[in-house]
Amino acid sequence: MARPGAARRAEGLVRAEQVRLLLGNMGSSLLPTIVVASLLLYALATPANTRGLPLWCAAVIGSKCFACWDARRILRGRIGPWRAYRLERWLILLNAIDGAAWGALAWTGFDPGSTANSILVVAVLSGIVGNAMSMLSPVLPVFAIFCVFELGALSLKAWSLDELQFRTLSLAVVVYFFSLLSQGRNSARAARAAIQLKFDNIGLIRQLRIESDKTRHALHAAEQANLAKSRFLAAASHDLRQPIHAQGLFLEVLARSPLNDSQRTVLASARAASEASAGMLHTLLDFSRIEAGVIEAQLEGFALQPLLAKLESELAPQANAKGLVYRTRDSGLALRSDRGLLELIVRNLVTNAVRYTERGGVLVACRKRAGHAVLEVWDSGIGIAPEQQEEIFREFHQLGNPERDRQKGLGLGLSIARGLAQLLGHELTVASRPGRGSVFRLAVPLAAMPALSGAPLAAPALDAPARRALPLRVLVIDDDAIVRISMQELLAGWGCDCQVADGIEPALALAATWLPDMIISDYRLREQRTGAEAIAMLRAQAGHAIPALLITGDTAPARLREARASGVPLLHKPTSPEQLYRSMEQVRGRGHHANTDSANELHCH
């Protein structure tokens, strides 16, 4: 319920607008008043009113001139709610005087012996009061007082003539007054309603602006929270990657040591735990790379069957371990897509199907439809409710995992699959029934069957005994001491002469007397400096392009874009020894022009 003070103020605002509207109308009546009064002075002049009529004319014109001047004066100032009440009383006084001045015409210019004179006076006074309604009715008391004094003077004059016709005219004037008052009331209500609507609209606009500001602030807060989340995830991911990266390298060094069977069993368990941690971090990396927009699709035509066979050989054991049947329908189709990115999409879909299926099995198939191929991953798992079928593609969204079991992943696999599908322009859809299973469908353009001499899907993993020695002088730059030690131990086992530095200046000083054959640098160094900067300075000092690798634990989108823009081949922590060895061989063989494409930078896990 509105407070009395607030209600009075609201009423005052409306009154102020009514007064402002009336004052704004005042100026339009000045010239007609001067013209009409002058014509009446000329037309009604008789020997009997040679003094009274000119005085009447001067009074009418003077009253109107003062009212117009006063209106302009008031309008130049501020008309507040409380001032409006005082102005209303002032305007009542002024218009009472103006009405009396016009009404005096009935006493100074009216000639009962002349019909033309009588008609002219009555017609003019009736017209003046009718015109006043349009100007004065916004403030009804002002209009009413003008009518009382103007028509009252005419009515009294007609009644005073003591003739039936004039007394009838007097009564008609009274009736005319009440008729005008009724019309004036309607006009005042219309003006008030229009003013109230204006204030309502202003209030609505103000409320909308307030709500818009609230929405904007809420959106800004949400964006800041999202940025804070991204920064936290990037920082946490970076800090976790450092020790896990070093752990993997130390385990590789340990594997080359003489161990008994019990120790090898423990080592295998430690490696499995390390690989599980690395797999989760690589999932976060894939998600960050999609958000950063640093993935570039390399479209080509390739046969689908080798990819299906590879996925079956790698993922069927996971299904078998859960007692599930893993089946793949052979396909003779060729697709046009990015081979590595498509593999990652299907891998995530199959892994998700295996993860959420307890009985039955998983089927991977491809069929030709309307000029394109549809890759399908069927499962007999828990199914997805209709209202959840879009939600599952949101990051970190999981079904049936309130306890956040790490064996069910991070809830990023389907988000990554959807992001990569959108990047490739492939439509990814899902159909599911709770308790009956799901099918994910990926529409991919068809291509002509490529030649059989195409590149293999993936390079085979290198076992430790198959590695050739790398007789290289390798400079490792990393600000993390444990990473420097693990890299030095590992590279020494591969036959490298390895030196380490914790920053750019120590690396430059070391390279001045010991020129490296290869540089391996962490991307983020101390004092906001980067490995790309270190490599560029070392190359400038040496006078030639030393082969180099960047390794980063950063997943922040901006950092990923910066690292990619450097043109130096980029690896991501935790980096497996096999991947590091292959990259060193590639960079050694191809020189500084080597770089990794989008598929190589993504980790299939």
Side-chain angles (χ1 to χ4, degrees):
M1 184 176 180
R3 292 175 296 178
R8 183 172 174 79
R9 176 174 173 76
E11 174 63 23
L13 289 172
V14 174
R15 286 289 183 90
E17 283 300 309
Q18 289 176 297
V19 170
R20 190 178 287 110
L21 180 59
L22 186 151
L23 293 172
N25 293 335
M26 198 68 72
S28 63
S29 65
L30 178 59
L31 183 59
T33 297
I34 295 173
V35 172
V36 170
S38 301
L39 290 175
L40 288 173
L41 176 63
Y42 172 76
L44 298 178
T46 64
N49 60 21
T50 53
R51 294 182 62 185
L53 195 61
L55 287 174
W56 167 83
C57 183
V60 167
I61 294 175
S63 172
K64 185 58 68 177
C65 287
F66 177 81
C68 291
W69 170 83
D70 190 57
R72 288 190 176 185
R73 177 187 65 82
I74 294 171
L75 288 172
R76 282 196 295 269
R78 179 178 178 273
I79 304 177
W82 312 119
R83 190 184 180 198
Y85 292 99
R86 296 196 301 272
L87 289 176
E88 185 176 318
R89 291 191 291 271
W90 171 245
L91 290 171
I92 288 173
L93 175 61
L94 286 184
N95 282 276
I97 295 171
D98 193 40
W102 276 105
L105 178 64
W107 295 86
T108 58
F110 190 79
D111 184 3
S114 170
T115 304
N117 176 287
S118 301
I119 293 173
L120 179 60
V121 170
V122 172
V124 166
L125 292 179
S126 300
I128 291 297
V129 78
N131 181 65
M133 183 173 65
S134 64
M135 292 192 305
L136 305 180
S137 62
V139 183
L140 187 60
V142 175
F143 173 62
I145 203 69
F146 180 86
C147 291
V148 166
F149 278 87
E150 198 238 48
L151 295 179
L154 177 61
S155 180
L156 287 174
K157 176 64 178 177
W159 189 266
S160 68
L161 294 175
D162 199 22
E163 292 184 14
L164 179 61
Q165 293 85 351
F166 287 112
R167 290 200 169 185
T168 302
L169 174 62
S170 176
L171 295 174
V173 169
V174 173
V175 173
Y176 181 53
F177 165 74
F178 284 108
S179 175
L180 285 174
L181 199 61
S182 176
Q183 294 179 40
R185 183 184 296 108
N186 293 336
S187 179
R189 286 174 178 172
R192 184 182 179 87
I195 292 169
Q196 189 63 54
L197 180 62
K198 172 187 172 182
F199 280 117
D200 290 344
N201 288 338
I202 291 173
L204 180 60
I205 291 171
R206 186 181 297 114
Q207 188 64 31
L208 288 174
R209 188 177 292 117
I210 291 171
E211 293 301 324
S212 177
D213 289 343
K214 288 181 180 178
T215 302
R216 185 163 54 251
H217 291 152
L219 179 61
H220 178 71
E223 289 173 347
Q224 292 301 311
N226 189 52
L227 288 174
K229 177 203 74 173
S230 298
R231 285 194 293 268
F232 171 76
L233 286 174
S237 176
H238 176 272
D239 294 343
L240 286 171
R241 287 172 186 276
Q242 295 289 92
I244 292 177
H245 173 69
Q247 179 188 54
L249 302 183
F250 277 130
L251 289 174
E252 174 67 14
V253 173
L254 184 60
R256 301 173 64 88
S257 306
L259 303 172
N260 58 38
D261 292 342
S262 176
Q263 291 168 332
R264 289 192 177 279
T265 300
V266 173
L267 175 62
S269 298
R271 272 185 158 174
S274 177
E275 288 170 3
S277 301
M280 290 186 178
L281 291 174
H282 289 328
T283 301
L284 286 172
L285 173 64
D286 293 344
F287 178 70
S288 297
R289 284 174 46 74
I290 293 171
E291 278 196 328
V294 298
I295 302 174
E296 295 178 3
Q298 306 294 327
L299 300 180
E300 60 177 333
F302 58 90
L304 175 61
Q305 183 56 35
L307 186 149
L308 297 179
K310 178 187 178 187
L311 290 174
E312 182 174 6
S313 66
E314 294 179 11
L315 300 178
Q318 297 180 21
N320 295 337
K322 292 185 66 174
L324 304 176
V325 177
Y326 186 107
R327 293 175 53 206
T328 301
R329 287 182 182 167
D330 292 346
S331 174
L333 297 176
L335 308 182
R336 179 168 179 76
S337 184
D338 183 299
R339 190 190 310 240
L341 299 183
L342 183 67
E343 177 186 339
L344 183 55
I345 294 173
V346 181
R347 182 184 294 274
N348 278 328
L349 295 178
V350 174
T351 301
N352 186 76
V354 172
R355 185 173 291 145
Y356 288 97
T357 302
E358 299 300 328
R359 290 184 297 275
V362 175
L363 170 65
V364 182
C366 186
R367 62 186 71 190
K368 186 176 179 181
R369 284 185 181 173
H372 62 272
V374 178
L375 264 167
E376 298 178 338
V377 178
W378 295 77
D379 68 65
S380 57
I382 62 174
I384 308 162
E387 64 273 12
Q388 291 285 333
Q389 290 180 13
E390 275 301 314
E391 295 296 307
I392 59 172
F393 292 105
R394 287 195 300 108
E395 60 269 22
F396 304 108
H397 185 84
Q398 289 184 303
L399 299 177
N401 189 21
E403 69 279 5
R404 303 301 297 179
D405 181 358
R406 69 175 181 83
Q407 293 185 354
K408 294 184 178 180
L410 296 173
L412 285 175
L414 292 180
S415 178
I416 292 170
R418 169 65 67 85
L420 292 176
Q422 290 174 344
L423 173 69
L424 294 169
H426 303 343
E427 183 183 13
L428 177 60
T429 59
V430 60
S432 182
R433 292 177 62 185
R436 301 290 296 276
S438 308
V439 55
F440 288 84
R441 295 185 173 95
L442 181 69
V444 185
L446 289 166
M449 183 62 71
L452 296 178
S453 58
L457 285 175
L462 291 169
D463 294 327
R467 295 192 187 108
R468 298 186 299 251
L470 294 174
L472 299 172
R473 303 173 81 177
V474 182
L475 174 57
V476 174
I477 309 172
D478 201 300
D479 56 9
D480 190 295
I482 195 168
V483 172
R484 293 196 301 272
I485 294 171
S486 61
M487 287 287 286
Q488 198 167 27
E489 291 280 347
L490 180 68
L491 295 179
W494 292 348
C496 298
D497 180 6
C498 181
Q499 298 292 329
V500 296
D502 63 358
I504 294 179
E505 280 69 27
L508 290 170
L510 182 60
T513 57
W514 182 82
L515 185 63
D517 300 317
M518 183 178 295
I519 305 165
I520 301 176
S521 177
D522 187 23
Y523 181 73
R524 188 168 75 175
L525 302 175
R526 293 193 181 100
E527 300 176 350
Q528 303 298 315
R529 306 181 79 176
T530 68
E533 182 182 351
I535 291 169
M537 294 177 71
L538 287 165
R539 285 174 170 176
Q541 178 175 284
H544 68 277
I546 304 172
L549 285 171
L550 280 172
I551 304 181
T552 184
D554 252 312
T555 58
R559 287 300 183 97
L560 292 176
R561 285 191 288 267
E562 290 172 10
R564 184 176 177 83
S566 70
V568 179
L570 181 65
L571 299 174
H572 298 278
K573 296 178 181 178
T575 303
S576 69
E578 290 80 7
Q579 186 181 19
L580 178 62
Y581 185 92
R582 284 199 301 269
S583 298
M584 290 177 65
E585 280 205 322
Q586 290 170 0
V587 170
R588 177 193 185 192
R590 297 187 305 192
H592 68 281
H593 297 293
N595 205 341
T596 51
D597 61 20
S598 60
N600 288 334
E601 286 188 56
L602 280 167
H603 298 268
C604 296
H605 44 278

